[in-house]
Amino acid sequence: GGDVSLDGQVVVQKDTFRYLGSVLQKDGDIDEDVRHRISAGWLKWRQASGILCDKRVPQKLKGKFYRTAIRPAILYGAECWPTKRRHVQQLSVAEMRMLRWFCGHTWRDRVRNEVIRDRIGVAPIEEKLTQHRLRWFGHVQRRPPEAPVRNGILELVDNVKRGRGRSKLTWDESVKRDLKDWNISKEIALDRSAWRLAINVPEP
């Protein structure tokens, strides 16, 4: 395509673009955004390291601080991510590094992830990621059918003509996988109270 100009100024073409805190990629993938969100989480972590690394602070309190100040920075915008396994793995590894620092452990100590999570009261980030995505899906499903945000939601996936090779994972397919994994019907999304119970992920 030709150059795009705005008020006579040529707009430089880039493969990534940052918009409202999210990184958009030309190819529609989310690798850069995931890396950016993990970096944002570590920035918050460093800002609070004086508290989080203080042995006098109860570990449950550290866990609460993580849930309310650090994890939201990591999962900002994640409700719209078409998440692949490698993205979930990256998020999980980053989270466990943070949590082990809280507890004063390294992987060499051979303390299981589940033990650390239970000790500080933090559910796996992959479950919270799914919860974010399903909460957004429930919000979308409750919008009137004519709302622009409803166009094509969970309708196009089955009819997509796929080219050769592995196709791009879409948000719709991510949600379908979530609904199947959690054994939730689309109809539940229309009942706000039932939906809240269905997607709730209790912290340990």
Side-chain angles (χ1 to χ4, degrees):
D3 292 335
V4 176
S5 61
L6 185 64
D7 291 334
Q9 293 284 344
V10 175
V11 179
V12 179
Q13 293 188 17
K14 291 193 173 185
D15 291 336
T16 62
F17 176 72
R18 185 170 298 180
Y19 178 72
L20 295 179
S22 295
V23 179
L24 309 178
Q25 288 180 224
K26 179 180 179 181
D27 61 3
D29 217 328
I30 61 168
D31 298 82
E32 289 296 328
D33 205 15
V34 170
R35 280 194 285 269
H36 176 59
R37 295 323 318 167
I38 290 174
S39 296
W42 277 114
L43 177 61
K44 292 284 187 183
W45 189 95
R46 284 193 293 272
Q47 290 172 344
S49 59
I51 297 172
L52 296 174
C53 294
D54 189 336
K55 294 181 179 179
R56 296 169 298 179
V57 177
Q59 291 186 343
K60 290 286 186 182
L61 185 58
K62 293 180 182 181
K64 185 174 183 180
F65 186 90
Y66 172 81
R67 296 196 310 266
T68 56
I70 298 176
R71 190 168 63 193
I74 298 174
L75 294 181
Y76 176 84
E79 62 272 13
C80 298
W81 284 350
T83 315
K84 298 177 182 176
R85 277 192 292 269
R86 72 169 184 270
H87 302 133
V88 175
Q89 179 67 13
Q90 288 167 352
L91 293 166
S92 182
V93 167
E95 177 176 79
M96 284 314 306
R97 282 178 179 161
M98 294 180 188
L99 301 188
R100 286 181 179 276
W101 271 96
F102 295 178
C103 295
H105 287 299
T106 69
W107 62 270
R108 292 186 183 89
D109 295 325
R110 297 186 178 278
V111 179
R112 291 172 59 86
N113 290 350
E114 295 79 9
V115 172
I116 290 177
R117 291 186 185 284
D118 188 63
R119 191 176 296 171
I120 61 180
V122 173
I125 197 167
E126 53 264 37
E127 293 183 8
K128 287 296 175 179
L129 177 62
T130 300
Q131 185 187 44
H132 274 54
R133 191 161 46 232
L134 289 179
R135 185 182 291 126
W136 176 245
F137 169 68
H139 168 73
V140 170
Q141 285 295 100
R142 288 189 294 271
R143 298 290 294 152
E146 65 275 11
V149 75
R150 285 293 303 275
N151 287 345
I153 295 298
L154 293 189
E155 300 301 329
L156 296 176
V157 176
D158 292 332
N159 302 316
V160 170
K161 290 184 178 179
R162 306 201 184 278
R164 297 178 117 182
R166 180 173 292 185
S167 61
K168 289 284 185 185
L169 176 72
T170 66
W171 179 83
D172 305 59
E173 289 169 318
S174 294
V175 172
K176 278 194 169 182
R177 181 185 60 199
D178 294 337
L179 293 172
K180 182 179 179 182
D181 290 346
W182 285 39
N183 194 26
I184 296 173
S185 68
K186 286 191 289 182
E187 288 70 30
I188 293 179
L190 301 177
D191 184 336
R192 190 185 298 270
S193 58
W195 184 248
R196 190 176 294 117
L197 288 172
I199 67 171
N200 182 46
V201 179
E203 303 285 352

